[in-house]
């Protein structure tokens, strides 16, 4: 997160200081001119600029969220390029204007004072608004590049708060900063960061189909660089350089950096040889003496005689002081809300399609190619699932589950050339398929070929056979462990404990069908009131605690014997237990989810320091499970398995490096870099495994 925060911190500091200096000069000029009563007008303009910037950020965020994936890539890429242009212009403008900024602002304020209150509000609004819009745009693009908003927002917030503190110090004359050098140094760093944002933006435009060269890679280090390593995270977070970059990205990055940095440095040197102009501090203005008021002279009448005093008019009714500030905040917010509401709302021609046994697909006509929103209305009396399908292959383009009777929900899908129909599956009722329509134009749409229980029958049988064989081995291993402890041979028991525990861990996909046996065999102390001393703390981890905490064989004999009995009971019960076929795809992700949560944190360790050995066994179980599912996955996503296989190999190498001479390094003894690599590689594997449950979800068919 902190790596992602640095670019936003720098832009928040720089833009915040720039805006803060402008506000300070505005305030100081008014104070010096004896016009302190006009300060609320300045703050009103500043408040309006802040409201506009925040509203602009909201529009960017929610407008992008309503787009298709491809449109989001194109939209984000375009804004990234625009942000780079703004930042580049800002860097050069501030390098050139830092010395004369005070004079320029004072001149504008003087003119605004002569033109009335509204003009002063507009002047402060325009002066601060530009920085606010630039900041909102750049923060949006950096957050999108980082893939998360917490780090960039925290970084920007810290930068803005620091900038406010610096401006206050300058105004109160307790701080002196060479602003020319400050903006020069930060400008050089921002140029490097902007080069990365440009590369990221062009990649988005390639992903969105706007620019060619999507697969023309100039650099591909994904197999040799660990994406979870600290240095990878740092380089990608700060500079937006990734292990895989296209030729367009590399050329644009190098070209922008070479040209812009050269011009910037040349401009700095040119400015350095010129005689320095005296720069006025933002806090140099002194307020006029309190109580000084200018008296308005009495104008003579047209005939030269003093004008007659007129009866004073009743004072005009003054509006409350809060009305204008509230209005300038409300107006941008209301406009932004309207843009988000109408810009991201359902298209006017969205079809309303009926969902029921009798009216499935009623109202459905051939849509236009592109991203479409269908309003699915359940006209029946049963909750229903509904799928947009290819009637020839039953491939699914979009779905809604649990559509209650009388309710309407949106189904969004990308429509291309091909045939489409609706399949309505009422709860407890018969699946019904609507008449199909034909859409012309565009390439074929991407769909998921559905999986039935019959499709998973063979993988399930193969995996149950694997579990049965594993349980047979496990029974013998836990019996040997119990005999070791009963005979007082605790050294042998420690070795046999690890062997048996790894065998159990490799059966991870069957956890869902082990029912209460898993808690007895592999339960942890979480939730037990007495912890390791609780009577319900049993199984492998109870024996582990005793073996590695010096408990005598007499104290461990009963827990070890009970472990062997429970494993034997599981072996007998397993063939009669229900094994939901849907568990198979889910377990491909859940096994390693638990590994990341318990083994790689050391949370499951009860003294043996072998959680990495357990993680290795969990990885073996995941590999076995993917093996039986491989034919189904390969036919649905040809690119998924190569990515997952590469991820598994990477995690396996990292685990192997912690295994030396039959012993495993405790996870808390790994150095920071090794641990970060292992966590990062496992996280990447989990991310690539995430689509498996969706690809192999069991869907009902007619």
């Amino acid at each position: 997160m902190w790596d992602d925060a640095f670019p936003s911190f720098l832009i928040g500091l720089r833009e915040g200081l720039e805006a803060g200096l402008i506000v300070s000069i505005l305030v100081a000029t008014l104070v010096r001119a004896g016009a302190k009563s006009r300060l609320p007008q300045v703050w009103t303009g500043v408040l309006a600029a802040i409201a506009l910037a925040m509203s602009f950020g909201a529009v960017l965020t929610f407008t992008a969220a309503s787009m298709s994936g491809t449109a989001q890539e194109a939209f984000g890429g375009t804004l990234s390029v625009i942000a780079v242009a703004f930042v580049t212009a800002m860097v050069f403008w501030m390098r050139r204007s830092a010395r004369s900024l005070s004079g320029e602002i004072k001149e504008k304020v003087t003119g605004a004072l002569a033109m009335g209150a509204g003009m002063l509000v507009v002047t402060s609004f325009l002066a601060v608004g530009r920085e606010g819009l630039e900041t909102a745009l750049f923060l949006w693009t950096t957050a999108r590049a980082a893939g998360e908003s917490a780090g960039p927002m925290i970084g920007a917030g810290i930068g803005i708060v620091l900038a406010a503190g610096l401006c206050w110090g300058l105004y109160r004359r307790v701080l002196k900063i060479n602003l020319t050098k400050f903006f020069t140094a930060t400008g050089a760093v921002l140029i490097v960061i902007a080069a990365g944002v440009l590369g990221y933006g062009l990649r988005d435009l390639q992903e969105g189909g706007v620019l060619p060269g999507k697969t023309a890679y100039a650099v591909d280090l994904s197999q040799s660089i660990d994406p979870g390593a600290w240095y990878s995270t740092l380089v990608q977070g700060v500079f937006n350089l990734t292990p895989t970059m296209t030729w367009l990205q590399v050329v644009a990055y190098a070209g922008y950096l070479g040209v812009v940095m050269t011009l910037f440095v040349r401009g700095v040197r040119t400015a350095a040889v010129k005689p320095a102009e005296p720069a006025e501090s933002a806090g140099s203005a002194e307020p006029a003496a309190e109580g000084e008021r200018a008296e308005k002279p009495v104008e003579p009448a047209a005939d030269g005689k003093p004008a007659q005093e007129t009866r004073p008019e009743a004072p005009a009714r003054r509006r409350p002081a809060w009305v204008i500030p509230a209005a300038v905040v409300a107006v941008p917010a209301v406009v932004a809300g309207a843009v988000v509401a109408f810009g991201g709302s359902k298209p006017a021609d969205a079809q309303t399609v009926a969902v029921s046994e009798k009216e499935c697909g009623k109202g459905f006509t051939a849509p236009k190619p592109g991203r479409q929103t269908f309003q699915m209305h359940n006209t029946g009396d049963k909750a229903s699932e509904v799928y947009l399908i290819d009637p020839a292959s039953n491939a699914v383009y979009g779905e809604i589950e649990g559509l209650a009777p009388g309710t309407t929900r949106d189904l969004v899908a990308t429509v291309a050339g091909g045939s489409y129909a609706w399949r309505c599956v009422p709860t407890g009722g018969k699946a019904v398929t609507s008449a199909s329509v034909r859409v012309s134009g565009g390439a074929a749409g991407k769909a998921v070929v559905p999986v039935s229980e019959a499709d998973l029958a063979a993988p399930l049988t193969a995996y149950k056979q694997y579990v049965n064989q594993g349980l047979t081995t496990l029974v013998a291993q836990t019996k040997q462990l119990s005999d070791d402890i009963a005979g007082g041979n605790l050294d042998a028991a420690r070795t046999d404990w690890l062997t048996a525990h790894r065998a159990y861990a490799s059966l991870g996909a069957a956890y869902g069908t082990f029912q209460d046996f898993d808690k007895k065999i592999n339960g942890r102390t979480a939730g037990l009131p007495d912890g390791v001393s609780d009577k319900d703390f049993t199984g492998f981890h109870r024996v582990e605690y005793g073996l590695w905490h010096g408990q005598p064989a007499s104290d461990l004999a009963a827990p070890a014997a009970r472990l062997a009995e429970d494993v034997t009971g599981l072996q007998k019960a397993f063939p009669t237990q229900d094994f939901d076929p849907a568990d198979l795809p889910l377990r491909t992700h859940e096994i390693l989810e638990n590994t990341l949560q318990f083994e790689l944190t050391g949370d499951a360790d009860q003294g043996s320091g072998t959680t990495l050995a357990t993680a290795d066994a969990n990885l073996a179980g995941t590999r076995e499970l993917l093996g039986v599912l491989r034919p189904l996955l390969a036919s649905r996503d040809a690119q998924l398995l190569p990515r997952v296989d590469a991820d598994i190999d990477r995690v396996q190498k990292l685990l192997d490096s912690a295994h030396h001479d039959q012993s495993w390094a405790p996870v808390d003894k790994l150095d920071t870099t090794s641990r970060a690599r292992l966590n990062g590689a496992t996280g990447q594997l989990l991310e690539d495994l995430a689509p498996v449950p969706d690809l192999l979800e069991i869907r009902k068919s007619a």
Side-chain angles (χ1 to χ4, degrees):
M1 182 178 71
W2 297 111
D3 301 317
D4 296 331
F6 176 74
S8 298
F9 163 77
L10 190 62
I11 198 70
L13 175 62
R14 184 186 171 95
E15 292 282 340
L17 185 57
E18 187 176 333
L21 286 173
I22 292 172
V23 173
S24 297
I25 295 170
L26 287 170
V27 171
T29 304
L30 290 176
V31 170
R32 172 177 287 179
K36 292 177 67 175
S37 61
R38 309 289 288 275
L39 288 177
Q41 296 160 17
V42 172
W43 295 119
T44 298
V46 171
L47 197 61
I50 295 173
L52 177 66
M54 296 180 68
S55 300
F56 180 55
V59 169
L60 291 178
T61 301
F62 292 105
T63 300
S66 66
M67 297 179 177
S68 66
T70 302
Q72 284 187 30
E73 299 289 355
F75 181 69
T78 301
L79 290 182
S80 295
V81 174
I82 294 174
V84 170
F86 279 162
V87 169
T88 305
M90 176 264 293
V91 166
F92 280 90
W93 178 82
M94 202 59 191
R95 187 209 66 200
R96 183 179 62 253
S97 304
R99 294 172 178 269
S100 58
L101 182 64
S102 178
E104 292 178 8
I105 296 296
K106 288 180 181 179
E107 184 179 345
K108 292 179 181 179
V109 172
T110 303
L113 278 171
M115 297 178 68
M119 198 61 193
L120 193 58
V121 172
V122 172
T123 299
S124 58
F125 170 76
L126 294 177
V128 178
R130 189 190 70 172
E131 276 68 35
L133 292 176
E134 287 177 353
T135 303
L137 179 57
F138 197 79
L139 290 181
W140 188 85
T141 56
T142 53
R144 177 178 169 81
E148 54 102 10
S149 58
M153 291 301 102
I154 290 174
I158 294 173
I160 292 172
V161 170
L162 180 57
L166 292 175
C167 289
W168 180 87
L170 289 170
Y171 183 81
R172 304 301 297 181
R173 296 184 180 179
V174 298
L175 184 66
K176 289 186 177 181
I177 296 177
N178 188 321
L179 295 178
T180 301
K181 290 184 178 180
F182 172 82
F183 284 116
T184 298
T186 56
V189 178
L190 276 177
I191 288 172
V192 177
I193 293 174
V197 174
L198 176 62
Y200 176 84
L202 293 177
R203 179 58 179 169
D204 273 355
L205 290 174
Q206 289 179 313
E207 294 286 351
V210 177
L211 294 176
K214 177 181 176 180
T215 59
Y217 296 114
V219 179
D220 188 357
L221 304 176
S222 57
Q223 299 300 317
S224 56
I225 292 181
D226 181 6
W230 66 269
Y231 53 85
S232 297
T233 306
L234 179 65
V235 171
Q236 185 165 345
V238 176
F239 303 110
N240 273 309
L241 292 175
T242 58
T244 303
M245 297 182 70
T246 64
W247 278 107
L248 179 60
Q249 286 180 280
V250 172
V251 171
Y253 182 93
Y256 173 89
L257 194 59
V259 173
V260 176
M261 187 66 78
T262 300
L263 294 175
F264 183 78
V265 172
R266 183 179 298 172
V268 170
R269 290 175 178 173
T270 302
V273 300
K274 294 181 179 179
E277 299 175 10
E280 228 177 311
S281 170
S284 61
E286 295 182 6
E290 293 292 336
E292 292 183 5
R293 297 176 62 97
E295 295 292 332
K296 184 176 180 180
V298 178
E299 297 290 338
D303 57 3
K305 297 180 181 180
Q308 298 293 324
E309 292 186 5
T310 59
R311 177 179 295 179
E313 297 180 3
R317 185 177 180 182
R318 299 182 62 183
R319 68 173 66 90
W322 55 267
V323 171
I324 293 180
V328 300
V329 173
V331 170
V334 170
V335 173
V339 171
V340 170
F342 293 104
S345 63
K346 298 172 240 174
D349 58 348
Q351 296 185 27
T352 299
V353 181
V355 178
S356 69
E357 289 179 283
K358 296 180 179 179
E359 297 182 321
C360 183
K362 183 179 179 181
F364 180 49
T365 58
K368 297 178 180 178
R371 191 169 176 83
Q372 300 292 337
T373 299
F374 302 96
Q375 297 176 315
M376 310 307 299
H377 179 63
N378 190 339
T379 59
D381 57 0
K382 301 175 183 176
S384 182
E385 298 176 6
V386 59
Y387 307 106
L388 178 62
I389 65 169
D390 177 350
S393 64
N394 290 324
V396 177
Y397 293 93
E399 63 184 298
I400 293 178
E401 297 180 357
L403 182 62
T407 61
T408 301
R409 282 163 58 187
D410 289 349
L411 187 151
V412 181
T414 300
V415 176
S419 296
Y420 296 86
W422 294 102
R423 176 160 294 149
C424 307
V425 188
T427 302
K430 182 181 178 182
V432 179
T433 302
S434 73
S436 63
V437 300
R438 181 76 186 175
V439 176
S440 301
K446 186 176 181 180
V448 176
V449 179
V451 173
S452 65
E453 290 192 17
D455 294 326
L456 286 171
L460 179 59
T461 299
Y463 199 78
K464 289 179 73 172
Q465 183 178 358
Y466 165 77
V467 173
N468 274 318
Q469 292 174 348
L471 288 174
T472 300
T473 302
L474 185 62
V475 167
Q477 290 171 338
T478 52
K479 178 66 167 58
Q480 181 61 50
L481 171 61
S482 179
D483 291 344
D484 290 339
I485 293 176
N489 191 351
L490 298 187
D491 288 336
R494 293 185 185 94
T495 300
D496 291 340
W497 176 90
L498 180 58
T499 300
H501 190 241
R502 280 170 52 81
Y504 183 80
S506 67
L507 307 179
Y511 283 0
T513 61
F514 285 173
Q515 299 178 356
D516 292 338
F517 281 102
D518 182 56
K519 185 177 180 181
K520 298 175 183 177
I521 294 171
N522 205 42
R524 289 179 288 273
T525 58
L528 299 180
D530 296 326
V532 294
S533 301
D534 199 281
K535 62 181 179 59
D536 291 327
F537 182 38
T538 62
F540 277 111
H541 291 300
R542 169 64 185 92
V543 176
E544 176 191 10
Y545 180 83
L547 286 173
W548 275 273
H549 282 84
Q551 291 186 350
S554 57
D555 289 349
L556 290 173
R562 180 175 175 181
L563 170 62
E565 291 173 3
D566 288 336
V567 169
T568 301
L570 173 60
Q571 183 194 30
K572 293 178 179 178
F574 179 70
T576 63
Q577 291 178 343
D578 291 331
F579 198 134
D580 187 348
D583 275 354
L584 287 177
L586 288 173
R587 293 301 181 227
T588 60
H589 193 268
E590 290 182 358
I591 297 173
L592 291 176
E593 239 179 13
N594 289 339
T595 302
L596 192 62
Q597 181 179 0
F598 299 115
E599 275 71 39
L600 297 189
T601 60
D603 185 67
D605 185 25
Q606 290 296 334
S608 67
T610 60
T611 57
L612 292 182
T614 306
D616 181 73
N618 288 337
L619 187 65
T622 301
R623 187 184 287 110
E624 182 71 28
L625 182 56
L626 286 170
V628 300
L629 295 174
R630 185 170 291 269
L632 294 177
L633 290 171
S635 63
R636 285 162 176 80
D637 189 340
Q639 298 178 346
L640 175 67
L641 286 173
R643 288 199 307 270
V644 168
D645 290 341
D647 292 340
I648 289 178
D649 291 342
R650 187 179 298 116
V651 175
Q652 187 66 66
K653 289 178 182 178
L654 293 171
L655 289 172
D656 290 344
S657 67
H659 186 205
H660 305 286
D661 300 327
Q662 305 303 314
S663 64
W664 291 82
V667 68
D668 59 352
K669 299 300 181 183
L670 293 179
D671 61 81
T672 303
T673 300
S674 298
R675 193 165 181 177
R677 279 183 182 171
L678 182 56
N679 288 334
T682 307
Q684 183 63 50
L685 173 55
L686 280 169
E687 183 177 337
D688 288 337
L689 285 172
V692 171
D694 288 334
L695 288 173
L696 301 186
E697 180 183 353
I698 296 176
R699 295 177 171 91
K700 298 177 183 179
S701 60

